[in-house]
Structures are given as C-alpha cells and as structure tokens.
Amino acid sequence: MADAVIPIPAQQTVAGQSTPAASVAAVLPQREERLFLLLSIFIGIISGLLVVSFRMAIEWLSVLLQGSAPAPHQIRLIVAPCAIGIVIALLTRFVFPLVRGSGVNQTKAALYIHNGYMSIRTVIGKFILSALAIGSGQSLGPEDPSLQIGAGVASLISRRVGLSRERLRLFAPVGAAAGLAAAFNAPISAILFVIEEVIGQWTAGVLGSIVLSAVSAVVVARWFWGSSPMFRIPSIDLKDPRELMAYAVLGVVGGVSSLGFAKALGYLRPAMRNQPQWFQMLQPALAGLLVGLIGYLGLPEVMGAGYGAIDLAMHGQFAFKMLLLLALFKMIATTLSFSSGTPGGMFAPTLFTGAMLGAAVGSYERVLFPHLTGSVGSYALVGMGVLFAAFLRAPLTSVFMVLEVSGNYSIVLPVILANTIAYLISRSLQPIPIFELFTHQDGLYLPSMEEEREEVDLRFEDALQPVSVPILPGSETLWTLKQFQAAHPDTAEAPALLIQCGDATWYAIRQTELQSLLAPVIDSSSPLADAKLESRLSPERTPLIFPDQPLASALPHFRRWPLLPVSHRAMRGALEGVLSLDDVLKRYQQG
Amino acid sequence: LIRTAYQTGKAEYGAGSTRRELILHDSLAFFTLAVTTLALYGVTFFLFRSFESHREELAASWTQRGQAELQQGKPADAVNSLRASLSYMPDNYPSQLLLAQALAAAGETDQATNYFLNLWTARPGDGFLNLELARVTRQKAESQHAIDYYRSAILGDWQGDAVIRRRQVRLELIDYLIQLRRLPAARAELLIAAGNAPDDRQLDILFGDKLLAAADPQDALTFYQRSIADDPHNAVALEKAGRLKYAEGDYKQAQELLTRAIENTPHAIEAPADLTALARNAARLVELSLSPDLPARERARHLLEAAQIAQTRFDNCTGNAATLPSELQSLQTRWKAATDPAHRNALVQNAAGQDSLTQLIFDTERETETTCGPATGDDELLLKLSESTSSGGNP
C-alpha cells in the first residue's frame, strides 16, 4: 500500500474543531500568528536536537555493524545489511507500517491530505529504522528521513498546543525545513527545497516560520557538529570563460545519467511492490545482501550515505575508472535499497552519484585539456548540484545547496550553468519528477512546483475585448440622457453600459438599472431632470483593474458588475478594453 | 501537561473563555515545551560527548596504526588506516598530513598533490606543506611549480628550528636545480645558503660538495680549504681538496693533501684503496712532471725517465710489425733522432730540446693509446700529464 497514505485519527481534528477558533480570535486576534512564530523556533530547536541524535545513531550503528574501517572482503559487509534487512522488514510490517520510503512524499501528503498530521509512531519508526538501514550499509541517505522527523515533531507540537486546522496544516513544512536544514547544515537550501518540493508553491504566509525553524535547527546542529562546511575545495579562479564549456559537458552527462537513475527506480519500485507479501518481507534483506556484496567485492564506498567517499572524490583520490564504477554501482545499490521499501533518503545517494560523475568528467577533461584551472574537487562539487537539479528536479535548491555545503561562492557560475543544462535535459527526457512519480505509484496526486511551472496563468489581456458598449458621461443630466436615448435607440438596447465618472473612475450599469434611474424623468420640468447621472448612482465604482492581472481574479466581480472596464496603467481613466463574464469563460474554455 | 492545560482551556472556553485564561494556557504550553527542549538537549549533549570521545579514540588508534605502517614502509596500508582515522576526525591536521605523505609515498602523486593542495589552501604559508608540495610536484616533473613551492617553503613558517629547516630545504632545492642542470641558479642559492650559515666545518664540506656538483670547483675548493683551516686534521676535507687539486693538475698540492688525508684517517677506518692509489699517483706525477717551471736539470732528469717509459710503450706497441701506420712511422723517426746520445747530453742546456722531447713523449702516449689500447701505470700518468698540457695546465 502507498507509504504516504496515513489514516487520520479522531484526535487529529480535536484542536481544530473543538476549539472555537472564531471566539479565540475575537479575544486574542494575533494569538495564532504569534504562537505560530514562537512554535517555529521550538520546532527548529527540537528538530535540530533529534537530527543530531539521528546522525549519531547512524554513525554509531555504522561502526557497530560495519566495523570502524570497512574494507573489501570483510564478511560483515554482507551479513550486517542482510540481517538488519530482516529486522527492518519485521518492524515495518508489524510495528511501523508507515515508515517506508524517503519521507519527502509523506511530509507532502501530511500537508495536502492529512491536515498536517503525522503520527508519533511514524516519527519514531522513521528514526529507528532509517538509522538501522543506513548504519548497516543500505545505500540510502539520512536527509529525507530527517525532513520527515522534523515534520513529525512539528505536527506533534502543534497538535498539543491547540491551533486551528489551517495552522496545523502549515506546521508540516515548517518542521520539514528544520529537519532538512539540520541534516544538511544548510538553511537556505532547506528552505528552498521545502518550498520547491514540499509546499510546491511560493507562499508568503509560511515563509517567516520556515526561516525561523530552519535557522534554529541549524544553530543547534552547528552547536554540536561545528560550523565548517560539509565539503571543502580550493577556490576556483575561472580565468577563461571557455572553461564553462567543460562544466556544460558535465551538465549534459548529469542530465542523461539522472534519466537512467529515475528510469531504474521508476521500474523497480512498483515491480517490487507488486510481489507477494512474503517476498516483500524478504526484499530489504535481499537488497542488503546485494548491496553488501557490492561492498564485499571491492566497493564498500557505495554502502551507507557515502559522505566519506564524496570527500575523497573531491580530493581527487579516485581514478577515472573507479569514479565511473562508484557512480554506476551507487545508482544500482540505491535503486535496490530504495525499491525494497527500506526507509531512507535519496539525497545522499544523489549527491554521491553526482560527485563521482563530476569528478570523473573533471578528471577526463583535465587529461584532454590540461590548461583547465578547475580542480577535480570543483567538478565533483558541481556534479553534486547537477544530479540534484536533474534527478530531484529542484534547480534553485541545487544551486544554493552546492554553495552552502562547500562554503565556496567562487563556483557559482559553473553550478548555475551545469545545473540548468542538466535540469532542462532531465525535464525534456523525463517529464514527471521522481518524487511525483513515487506519489503517482502510491496512488496520490499532490501539487508540485514542477506542475506549477507548466501552468500558464491567464491574464486580463488574454480575454480583453474592445470597448463596444455605449459610454455615458456621468456629468450629464438625466434629462439630457433621456433625450440622447430617444435619439439613439441602440443605447436603450445594450444590456450594459459604462458610465465615466468625474474622478476618472467607471461605473458599469445594467440597462434595467439605467432605465429605473431615467423612469422618473418625464420632461425637462421633472424634479430629477437636472440631476446629474453620477449623483444618482450608488457610491461604489467598478474595481480598478489592469491588463496584466490574473484573469481568475475577475470572477468574483461579476456578481456585482455586468462588465469590467480594464484601465491603462499609465493614463488614469483611459480604458484598454472591457471584460464580461462570457469573455472570461470563453477564454478559459479555449485553454 | 499540555493536554491538561488544553483540556482546562477548552472547558473554560465553553464557559466563556477569557483573555487571561488563554494567556495562562499558552504560557503553560510554552513552559512545558521549554522544559522538554532542555531535557532533550541534556540527553543529546550527554550522548554527543560520549559519541565524540568514542570517535576520538577510534581516530587516534587508526592514526597510530597508519603512522606505524608508514614507518614500516607500507604506505598503501597506511593510506587505508589514515583514511579510516580521518573519517572519525576529519579536521585532524596531523592525520591529514600523514595521509598526504602516505599517498605520496605510495606513489599516488596526483592524489597526494590534491590532498596537500587542499591543506595548503588553509595554510599557504606553512613551510612543511610547501616542501611536501614541492616534492610531489617534482615527482610529477612540474619543475617550475616545484621550484616555486621550494622557495615558498624556504620563506614559510616552520615549527622548531626554522633556520636549520630552511637551510635543509634550500639544499634540497639546490640538489633539484643541479639535477635540472640549472647551475647558475643552483650556485646563487648555494652562495645565499653559505652566507646565512654559521661557521661549521661540516657545512663547509657540504657547500663544497654542492658547489662541485654545480660545476664550480674553484669555490668548492675554497670551502674545503676553509674547513681544513678550521680543522687541519679533517680527513674528509683534505681528501676532497686533494682530489680537486689532482683534477686541477696541481699534483704537488694534491699529493700533500691526499697524504695528509690518509694520515688523518682514523685508525679504525682504513683509507680507501682509491685514495691511496690517488696519493701514489699524485706523488708519481710529481716525480714525472715535465713542467718547464722545473729547474732545467731536474726537468731533464724527468724527461729522460719519461722518455724511457714512452719509448718502451712505443716499442711494445709496434713490436716486430713490418709496416707501421704513417703516424707511428713518424714517431719512429722522431724517436730515432731523440735517442742520439749527443742530443740527450745536450738536453740539460737545451730548453727547446726539452720541449721537443716532452712533445714527443706526449705524442707517443696519445698515439699508442689510440693504436694499442688503454695505457696503464706510468704510461697512464704520462698520458694524464699530456692531457693537462692540452687543457692548458702544467705538464
């Protein structure tokens, strides 16, 4: 069953439903907003502490299960992931049924389906099982589980404090940002990723809280781990702009490689899930056996998160062929581990593969063009960003992630170029991003920024029509207008007319309303004959709208107005055209 | 606690909640959160300390192992051990240095260079790092980079006795420059090194050796002589100076210096055979000297002895051959004239005759060398005298 489908217990809505939010808001109107911000800080701190503990657990388990210096031909490399795989399968089946997968989609589902709810059992299960899986050598990363742990903490705290359902929903991304920021030691990347991948849209309402929680979490993480960037490479002095071509090649390689990786996962994951239950129980152990075998036969670097190997690649410690082998086998190992349903993340394997590909491309290019100034480390670093952009389809995050994990701004140009190329190639070859593919495989359809990017927002100018309705000056008297209508019968037949008011505003009037205004005027001696049209209108005016505004925003106005005059931004009172409800609907129907 | 507070708050909302009650509820909730956070921090801190200390132990143990393996000449094993160590303490500078050295020792030049460069980025003025970078770039035949790194190492920071370390680095640079045949640069560095060095007889010998390697025998001799002046019984300096004098053609000085070198060689150590032979040759060359600076009588005596040796060599070379090559025929004719007793008797008073006979002796040794193979014994020495003459020296 889908790992993101979470039953909502009755307790979840208690706070939201039974608390009379309206009356609370009446007593303390700013309460929720203030609580939201303050809680974000607490969520950040607690998530940070939990992520620090999570990383410790992984490293401790890694030493315990794989030994302090894993090397080829150590039998424990096969035994540990295989045996732990059985434990994971049993625990996943009987104790923590919702911990499968990376954690990103579960967090997104919590936001969009479950009103921000994530059970404490899932959080505990994610912590324990992910630590066991990664510590035993399964080729998975700790970042995505950290994101889910953060979201779970946020969900738990917000439920206990008692906030409206609307607020409860928003806590999931706040916690997710905290968890990811602590895991990566990179607040900006975490914020951007949560916006790009979890929330799926830019929203100002939650941004402040996300920033607060991410920063709090990073402060805690740095308190324990120190503030050094995750990877250190020498500064790049891009003396010749032509060297950017070398990085562009890396972008192409990354884009194509990400396709292979995504295809493998997209095929194997549902295939494994369609197996009988007994075989699904064996899958984590089987994946552990195969991944362990890869390590045993000569590539122990592919086991676990692999940050040590990334560091070695950045320092040019692997030869060209070894780099290619590591990239290939990491993709295979990760596909096996992830598809088996073992809890763990995709970030670290993606970065690992990208770093190896980048270093390989860098090594090769440096042989062909010895004058290149970039070190192998710089190519490895750019490679990380390239695969992140192409595979996880988070281009903005990928750029900032590279800058933050290296603390090196000099690499920004190559990163932007290579990531953009990889992203565009990946988008054209694999239209559905990997996380979205997983949600579809799980039977869920969640919004994404990628989806939003595809959408074309219609604007007023797309449905705008020339002004063909009669325009009446508001300064004219009712008698004059009466005479005018008698002389021009077509003005009496138009269903709606525009009245130009004195202060450069407009009034769209229905024919019936106009006729009711003119009805009391029989002749020039009638009491209202000299009254000006404008003075007889209700005081409201049609809204001031401009051609570049979203078309959807026009819809509410048609309840009141038969027509909407669209004004020129530079000439007050001048019209660009008019919009009617029919025009708008027709435009939407055209697509 | 939060739940209780919330339940309380909820009930009171129903009964007409007040602002004060809401504030109390929220304060209680935050107090609980703060206590929970502190407790979690305490637990995490305790676990983290234990975790860090365990990592430090692991790192130290792998570093020790790597160091031992490096000393035992197992750099590949050392690389693995040091990598394991650094996975636990990535910022441990001594382990980083050891790993870079192990990589260089294991022949992983590119990796070592990258590793050193990475460390160098953080400490560009570190003398040791620059020296190691010079060594690895030297292995990669990037000579100009290597020289630059050597110079940076000389100017860099050193722990301990910086003066000595800088001199050692400069001497290593000098060796490299000599190897590259950049002799003027090597000599310039040597003069700087010597100028900065204290008065030390061993150092003088060292500088002499380097200058000699840098094709500057005159300055080398000066340094050997400085060492001898400081310690007249210094066998090494005496030998080196003697050999230089011998190579220079100053056999008298050479004989004296070499003899003193043999005399001053400690009894426990036997003078090398070649040194003894060289001293003997020098003595014999003095005896055979045909220099025009010698008193006429003495020169005539030397000439007669040398003529005897050369003629015997000529006779042995020609043997009973019926026909001789034109060069040897010419020599045969000249020897016939030279063996005229009247001519020999007049030799003492006839400087031109002495020169002519000297030339005949040398020509004979050279020609027989070409025709009949390498000369030995006195013939070899006469040949050496002839070579000294042709190179502008004194026969």
Side-chain angles (χ1 to χ4, degrees):
Chain A
M1 187 49 205
D3 51 16
V5 177
I6 304 167
I8 313 169
Q11 185 202 357
Q12 184 243 325
T13 53
V14 167
Q17 283 178 349
S18 60
T19 305
S23 60
V24 169
V27 178
L28 281 171
Q30 300 288 313
R31 175 181 175 265
E32 286 224 335
E33 271 182 37
R34 287 172 187 164
L35 278 181
F36 194 55
L37 287 174
L38 268 173
L39 283 177
S40 302
I41 297 172
F42 274 102
I43 287 167
I45 294 170
I46 293 175
S47 299
L49 290 169
L50 284 178
V51 170
V52 167
S53 305
F54 181 55
R55 261 185 70 182
M56 274 194 292
I58 290 172
E59 295 206 21
W60 238 327
L61 283 166
S62 176
V63 173
L64 201 67
L65 298 170
Q66 296 181 58
S68 59
H73 310 301
Q74 292 176 352
I75 198 71
R76 66 197 305 169
L77 295 187
I78 299 178
V79 173
C82 187
I84 293 295
I86 294 169
V87 175
I88 288 170
L90 289 171
L91 287 173
T92 309
R93 175 83 176 82
F94 297 109
V95 188
F96 306 112
L98 303 173
V99 299
R100 295 175 65 131
S102 78
V104 174
N105 281 342
Q106 289 88 331
T107 306
K108 213 166 159 180
L111 172 65
Y112 285 105
I113 301 174
H114 310 302
N115 291 321
Y117 176 79
M118 201 174 278
S119 76
I120 183 72
R121 184 198 280 201
T122 305
V123 176
I124 293 170
K126 197 76 176 184
F127 187 112
I128 295 172
L129 297 195
S130 296
L132 272 172
I134 301 165
S136 69
Q138 293 272 12
S139 179
L140 296 163
E143 295 81 10
D144 323 26
S146 301
L147 178 146
Q148 194 181 0
I149 289 167
V153 167
S155 170
L156 179 71
I157 292 175
S158 59
R159 286 200 313 268
R160 301 284 164 163
V161 171
L163 293 172
S164 67
R165 182 184 298 182
E166 192 186 331
R167 291 285 177 187
L168 282 178
R169 258 168 28 92
L170 293 176
F171 270 110
V174 171
L180 191 58
F184 256 141
N185 191 11
I188 302 173
S189 311
I191 293 163
L192 288 175
F193 183 80
V194 165
I195 289 168
E196 280 195 300
E197 197 53 49
V198 178
I199 304 176
Q201 57 188 342
W202 289 92
T203 164
V206 75
L207 193 61
S209 293
I210 288 179
V211 170
L212 273 179
S213 69
V215 169
S216 312
V218 168
V219 167
V220 171
R222 288 186 182 177
W223 174 268
F224 286 98
W225 298 110
S227 56
S228 308
M230 207 178 252
F231 304 109
R232 273 160 289 182
I233 61 154
S235 286
I236 297 165
D237 187 10
L238 202 65
K239 287 178 184 152
D240 186 349
R242 284 176 299 179
E243 191 166 343
L244 284 172
M245 294 294 291
Y247 291 99
V249 171
L250 175 54
V252 174
V253 172
V256 174
S257 305
S258 76
L259 176 73
F261 196 7
K263 289 279 183 203
L265 274 165
Y267 169 77
L268 195 63
R269 187 171 178 266
M272 299 279 258
R273 289 184 164 214
N274 289 335
Q275 300 302 316
Q277 187 64 48
W278 66 267
F279 186 60
Q280 284 193 36
M281 288 284 289
L282 288 178
Q283 284 173 6
L286 199 59
L289 179 74
L290 293 172
V291 172
L293 208 58
I294 294 172
Y296 179 83
L297 292 177
L299 298 174
E301 293 87 354
V302 304
M303 298 181 75
Y307 281 123
I310 295 177
D311 197 51
L312 292 177
M314 286 197 176
H315 292 102
Q317 309 265 306
F318 294 124
F320 174 71
K321 281 182 188 169
M322 182 67 170
L323 289 165
L324 286 185
L325 277 177
L326 284 173
L328 178 68
F329 279 96
K330 186 70 179 180
M331 284 197 270
I332 293 171
T334 307
T335 305
L336 289 169
S337 293
F338 194 78
S339 300
S340 70
T342 308
M346 300 291 294
F347 280 26
T350 307
L351 298 179
F352 182 106
T353 310
M356 298 305 151
L357 284 175
V361 170
S363 308
Y364 190 69
E365 287 183 343
R366 282 169 66 84
V367 171
L368 288 182
F369 309 105
H371 63 277
L372 294 179
T373 52
S375 65
V376 171
S378 66
Y379 283 89
L381 196 58
V382 174
M384 279 169 46
V386 159
L387 219 71
F388 201 94
F391 181 68
L392 300 178
R393 218 62 82 69
L396 206 54
T397 308
S398 70
V399 171
F400 281 90
M401 190 263 308
V402 168
L403 300 185
E404 283 193 295
V405 298
S406 67
N408 190 335
Y409 187 77
S410 64
I411 203 165
V412 69
L413 279 182
V415 169
I416 290 175
L417 178 75
N419 287 14
T420 307
I421 291 172
Y423 174 71
L424 293 176
I425 290 175
S426 172
R427 259 186 75 160
S428 59
L429 297 177
Q430 171 86 6
I432 303 174
I434 192 74
F435 282 126
E436 204 173 325
L437 186 69
F438 293 158
T439 57
H440 293 178
Q441 287 174 356
D442 296 340
L444 305 174
Y445 289 87
L446 301 170
S448 71
M449 191 167 259
E450 187 82 357
E451 197 177 68
E452 201 177 75
R453 283 187 196 108
E454 299 295 338
E455 285 176 1
V456 179
D457 285 338
L458 290 177
R459 308 202 171 266
F460 290 149
E461 62 197 0
D462 297 316
L464 199 62
Q465 299 298 321
V467 183
S468 58
V469 296
I471 296 177
L472 304 176
S475 54
E476 291 296 332
T477 62
L478 293 180
W479 174 241
T480 313
L481 286 173
K482 184 98 177 175
Q483 287 178 309
F484 181 78
Q485 276 213 330
H488 300 90
D490 56 314
T491 58
E493 289 163 10
L497 302 91
L498 284 175
I499 298 170
Q500 189 170 25
C501 301
D503 51 354
T505 56
W506 292 86
Y507 189 96
I509 191 166
R510 288 188 173 81
Q511 189 63 249
T512 49
E513 187 185 354
L514 181 63
Q515 291 309 323
S516 68
L517 286 176
L518 295 177
V521 182
I522 309 298
D523 52 31
S524 60
S525 59
S526 296
L528 292 173
D530 292 333
K532 292 194 172 168
L533 174 60
E534 193 176 344
S535 66
R536 303 302 298 163
L537 298 173
S538 68
E540 55 189 325
R541 296 290 180 265
T542 51
L544 188 62
I545 57 174
F546 302 102
D548 53 290
Q549 289 179 302
L551 189 57
S553 66
L555 291 169
H557 299 304
F558 288 116
R559 280 180 63 190
R560 168 66 183 87
W561 306 103
L563 283 176
L564 290 176
V566 180
S567 303
H568 195 285
R569 279 199 184 267
M571 289 183 281
R572 191 170 161 76
L575 291 186
E576 293 260 7
V578 291
L579 276 177
S580 68
L581 183 59
D582 270 358
D583 298 331
V584 174
L585 294 177
K586 271 183 198 160
R587 185 64 191 84
Y588 273 119
Q589 281 162 357
Q590 283 168 12
Chain B
L1 198 55
I2 294 173
R3 187 188 288 275
T4 314
Y6 170 67
Q7 297 291 352
T8 313
K10 194 175 73 170
E12 283 165 358
Y13 293 151
S17 60
T18 62
R19 185 188 177 89
R20 192 187 303 160
E21 283 159 352
L22 262 179
I23 290 171
L24 182 68
H25 161 257
D26 291 346
S27 305
L28 195 57
F30 276 104
F31 174 74
T32 314
L33 260 180
V35 170
T36 310
T37 307
L38 277 175
L40 191 59
Y41 173 80
V43 172
T44 311
F45 185 74
F46 170 76
L47 290 173
F48 191 81
R49 279 188 63 182
S50 162
F51 170 77
E52 281 290 280
S53 106
H54 184 53
R55 282 167 66 89
E56 277 168 21
E57 280 169 22
L58 280 171
S61 120
W62 281 108
T63 301
Q64 276 175 5
R65 192 164 158 176
Q67 209 162 7
E69 284 163 343
L70 196 57
Q71 282 164 359
Q72 288 161 14
K74 299 175 186 169
D77 293 341
V79 166
N80 290 334
S81 301
L82 291 163
R83 276 185 179 157
S85 167
L86 284 168
S87 70
Y88 297 107
M89 294 284 284
D91 294 328
N92 189 329
Y93 185 66
S95 297
Q96 289 173 333
L97 268 186
L98 277 173
L99 174 57
Q101 286 174 284
L103 284 166
E108 306 283 357
T109 317
D110 285 338
Q111 296 180 19
T113 310
N114 285 338
Y115 214 95
F116 277 125
L117 269 177
N118 199 48
L119 298 174
W120 180 86
T121 308
R123 301 177 185 209
D126 188 303
F128 181 76
L129 275 179
N130 279 294
L131 175 61
E132 291 297 328
L133 270 167
R135 285 172 178 166
V136 288
T137 45
R138 183 175 166 173
Q139 280 180 37
K140 290 165 73 179
E142 294 172 3
S143 57
Q144 194 50 51
H145 279 131
I147 291 168
D148 292 343
Y149 282 125
Y150 271 125
R151 295 209 162 113
S152 300
I154 291 166
L155 299 171
D157 302 327
W158 288 92
Q159 287 180 343
D161 196 341
V163 176
I164 294 173
R165 300 306 305 270
R166 289 195 179 103
R167 186 167 59 237
Q168 286 169 343
V169 177
R170 199 183 289 278
L171 288 171
E172 196 172 316
L173 168 62
I174 288 162
D175 285 340
Y176 186 47
L177 289 169
I178 291 168
Q179 186 190 323
L180 294 173
R181 306 305 300 161
R182 296 193 188 178
L183 300 181
R187 286 196 288 268
E189 291 290 345
L190 266 167
L191 292 177
I192 296 169
N196 293 335
D199 286 337
D200 181 298
R201 66 191 73 153
Q202 295 305 324
L203 276 179
D204 285 337
I205 293 172
L206 187 64
F207 290 135
D209 290 347
K210 304 283 179 196
L211 281 163
L212 195 57
D216 187 358
Q218 284 309 314
D219 284 326
L221 191 59
T222 307
F223 276 96
Y224 293 141
Q225 283 168 341
R226 267 174 59 174
S227 182
I228 294 165
D230 192 36
D231 175 14
H233 303 291
N234 188 327
V236 176
L238 286 165
E239 181 191 338
K240 287 176 189 284
R243 285 180 189 274
L244 261 183
K245 283 285 182 190
Y246 186 89
E248 228 176 54
D250 187 350
Y251 301 115
K252 194 170 168 55
Q253 277 285 314
Q255 183 209 355
E256 186 210 327
L257 290 164
L258 292 170
T259 308
R260 280 170 62 193
I262 294 166
E263 286 168 2
N264 286 289
T265 301
H267 294 300
I269 307 166
E270 196 177 332
D274 75 313
L275 177 62
T276 315
L278 204 66
R280 202 169 45 239
N281 285 350
R284 183 68 181 139
L285 281 164
V286 171
E287 287 167 13
L288 290 175
S289 174
L290 306 178
S291 169
D293 299 338
L294 289 171
R297 185 169 294 277
E298 193 179 349
R299 190 184 182 203
R301 188 165 50 81
H302 288 189
L303 272 170
L304 289 175
E305 189 182 354
Q308 184 65 43
I309 295 164
Q311 201 171 5
T312 308
R313 167 78 166 155
F314 182 77
D315 292 341
N316 289 340
C317 182
T318 54
N320 298 322
T323 54
L324 293 174
S326 58
E327 293 85 2
L328 291 181
Q329 279 178 6
S330 161
L331 282 174
Q332 195 173 37
T333 311
R334 286 167 67 191
W335 273 116
K336 277 181 182 161
T339 47
D340 179 6
H343 183 261
R344 289 204 171 199
N345 291 339
L347 203 58
V348 176
Q349 285 83 30
N350 184 358
Q354 287 185 349
D355 291 344
S356 167
L357 186 55
T358 304
Q359 194 56 50
L360 176 58
I361 292 165
F362 289 161
D363 288 348
T364 302
E365 290 298 342
R366 282 187 205 121
E367 201 54 49
T368 51
E369 170 90 354
T370 313
T371 313
C372 304
T376 54
D378 285 347
D379 290 308
E380 187 185 356
L381 297 177
L382 284 174
L383 195 62
K384 188 158 188 61
L385 284 176
S386 84
E387 284 163 3
S388 299
T389 313
S390 58
S391 63
N394 232 342

Coordinates of all heavy atoms in Angstrom, one line a residue, chain A residues 45-46 55 87 149 161 168 181 215 229 236 252 271 278 336 346 350 368 394 427 432 440 454 457 466 512 577:
Chain A
I45 N 14.5 24.0 17.1 CA 15.4 23.5 18.1 C 15.3 22.0 18.4 O 16.2 21.2 18.4 CB 15.3 24.3 19.5 CG1 15.6 25.8 19.2 CG2 16.1 23.7 20.6 CD1 15.3 26.7 20.4
I46 N 14.0 21.6 18.6 CA 13.8 20.2 18.9 C 14.2 19.3 17.7 O 14.8 18.3 17.8 CB 12.3 20.0 19.4 CG1 12.1 20.7 20.7 CG2 12.0 18.5 19.5 CD1 10.7 20.6 21.2
R55 N 21.8 11.4 13.4 CA 23.2 11.2 12.8 C 24.1 10.4 13.7 O 24.9 9.6 13.2 CB 23.8 12.6 12.5 CG 23.5 13.0 11.0 CD 24.2 14.3 10.7 NE 25.7 14.2 10.7 CZ 26.5 15.2 10.4 NH1 26.0 16.4 10.3 NH2 27.8 15.1 10.4
V87 N 15.3 -7.5 10.2 CA 14.8 -6.8 11.3 C 13.9 -5.7 10.8 O 12.8 -5.4 11.3 CB 15.9 -6.2 12.2 CG1 15.4 -5.4 13.3 CG2 16.7 -7.4 12.7
I149 N 11.3 13.6 10.1 CA 11.3 13.6 11.6 C 11.0 15.1 12.0 O 10.2 15.3 12.9 CB 12.7 13.2 12.1 CG1 12.9 11.7 11.9 CG2 12.9 13.6 13.6 CD1 14.4 11.3 12.1
V161 N -0.5 22.0 21.2 CA -0.7 23.4 21.7 C -2.1 23.8 21.4 O -2.7 24.6 22.1 CB 0.3 24.3 21.0 CG1 0.0 25.8 21.3 CG2 1.7 24.0 21.6
L168 N -2.5 24.1 11.6 CA -1.9 22.8 11.8 C -1.3 22.3 10.5 O -0.2 21.7 10.5 CB -3.0 21.8 12.3 CG -3.4 21.9 13.7 CD1 -4.5 20.9 14.0 CD2 -2.2 21.6 14.6
A181 N 17.4 21.3 7.2 CA 18.4 22.3 7.5 C 19.4 21.7 8.5 O 20.7 21.9 8.3 CB 17.8 23.6 8.1
V215 N 16.6 28.2 10.7 CA 17.7 28.8 11.3 C 18.0 28.2 12.7 O 19.1 27.9 13.1 CB 17.5 30.3 11.4 CG1 18.6 31.0 12.2 CG2 17.6 30.9 10.0
P229 N 31.9 24.0 6.6 CA 31.0 23.4 5.6 C 31.3 21.9 5.4 O 32.3 21.4 5.8 CB 31.5 24.2 4.3 CG 32.8 24.8 4.7 CD 32.8 25.0 6.1
I236 N 37.9 28.5 -6.9 CA 38.1 28.3 -8.3 C 38.3 29.7 -9.0 O 37.6 30.6 -8.7 CB 36.9 27.7 -9.0 CG1 36.7 26.3 -8.4 CG2 37.0 27.6 -10.5 CD1 35.3 25.8 -8.6
V252 N 25.4 18.0 -19.2 CA 24.8 17.1 -20.2 C 24.9 15.7 -19.6 O 23.9 14.9 -19.6 CB 25.5 17.2 -21.5 CG1 25.0 16.1 -22.5 CG2 25.3 18.5 -22.1
A271 N 7.6 -2.7 -9.4 CA 7.7 -4.1 -9.6 C 7.9 -4.9 -8.3 O 7.3 -5.9 -8.1 CB 8.9 -4.4 -10.5
W278 N 5.0 -12.2 1.2 CA 6.1 -12.9 1.8 C 7.4 -12.5 1.1 O 8.4 -12.3 1.8 CB 6.0 -14.5 1.7 CG 6.0 -15.0 0.3 CD1 4.9 -15.2 -0.5 CD2 7.1 -15.3 -0.5 NE1 5.3 -15.6 -1.8 CE2 6.7 -15.7 -1.8 CE3 8.5 -15.3 -0.3 CZ2 7.5 -16.1 -2.8 CZ3 9.4 -15.7 -1.3 CH2 8.9 -16.1 -2.5
L336 N 18.2 -0.6 -5.6 CA 17.8 -1.8 -4.8 C 17.3 -1.5 -3.4 O 16.3 -2.0 -3.0 CB 19.1 -2.8 -4.7 CG 19.5 -3.4 -6.0 CD1 20.9 -4.1 -5.8 CD2 18.5 -4.5 -6.4
M346 N 17.0 9.7 -0.4 CA 17.6 9.7 -1.8 C 18.6 10.9 -1.9 O 19.3 10.9 -2.9 CB 16.5 10.0 -2.8 CG 15.4 8.9 -2.9 SD 16.0 7.4 -3.5 CE 16.4 7.8 -5.1
T350 N 22.1 10.6 -4.3 CA 22.1 11.5 -5.4 C 23.4 12.4 -5.4 O 24.0 12.5 -6.5 CB 20.9 12.5 -5.4 OG1 19.7 11.7 -5.3 CG2 20.8 13.3 -6.7
L368 N 42.3 15.7 -21.2 CA 42.2 16.3 -22.6 C 42.7 17.7 -22.7 O 43.3 18.1 -23.7 CB 40.8 16.2 -23.1 CG 40.2 14.8 -23.4 CD1 38.8 14.9 -23.8 CD2 41.1 14.1 -24.4
A394 N 15.0 20.0 -8.4 CA 14.9 21.2 -7.6 C 16.1 22.1 -8.0 O 17.1 22.1 -7.3 CB 15.0 20.8 -6.1
R427 N 14.2 17.5 -17.7 CA 12.7 17.8 -17.9 C 12.2 17.3 -19.2 O 11.1 16.9 -19.4 CB 12.6 19.3 -17.8 CG 12.0 19.8 -16.5 CD 11.7 21.2 -16.5 NE 10.5 21.5 -17.2 CZ 9.8 22.6 -17.1 NH1 10.2 23.5 -16.3 NH2 8.7 22.8 -17.8
I432 N 8.0 13.7 -15.7 CA 7.5 13.6 -14.4 C 8.7 13.5 -13.4 O 9.5 12.6 -13.5 CB 6.6 12.4 -14.2 CG1 5.4 12.4 -15.2 CG2 6.0 12.3 -12.8 CD1 4.5 11.2 -15.2
H440 N 2.5 9.1 -7.6 CA 1.6 8.5 -8.6 C 1.6 7.0 -8.4 O 0.5 6.4 -8.4 CB 2.0 8.9 -10.0 CG 1.8 10.3 -10.3 ND1 2.1 10.9 -11.5 CD2 1.4 11.4 -9.5 CE1 1.9 12.2 -11.5 NE2 1.5 12.5 -10.3
E454 N 4.5 24.3 -15.3 CA 3.9 24.0 -16.6 C 2.7 24.8 -16.8 O 2.3 25.0 -17.9 CB 3.5 22.5 -16.6 CG 4.7 21.6 -16.4 CD 5.7 21.6 -17.6 OE1 5.3 22.1 -18.7 OE2 6.9 21.3 -17.4
D457 N -0.6 31.0 -16.5 CA -1.6 31.8 -15.9 C -2.2 32.8 -16.9 O -1.5 33.5 -17.6 CB -0.9 32.6 -14.8 CG -0.7 31.7 -13.6 OD1 -1.3 30.7 -13.5 OD2 0.2 32.1 -12.8
P466 N -12.4 44.9 -27.1 CA -12.5 46.4 -27.3 C -13.8 46.9 -26.7 O -14.8 46.2 -26.6 CB -12.5 46.5 -28.8 CG -12.2 45.2 -29.4 CD -12.4 44.2 -28.4
T512 N -31.3 47.8 -17.1 CA -32.5 47.8 -16.2 C -32.3 48.9 -15.2 O -33.2 49.7 -14.8 CB -32.7 46.5 -15.5 OG1 -31.5 46.0 -15.0 CG2 -33.3 45.5 -16.5
G577 N -9.8 48.2 -22.6 CA -10.9 47.4 -23.1 C -11.8 47.0 -22.0 O -11.8 47.6 -20.9

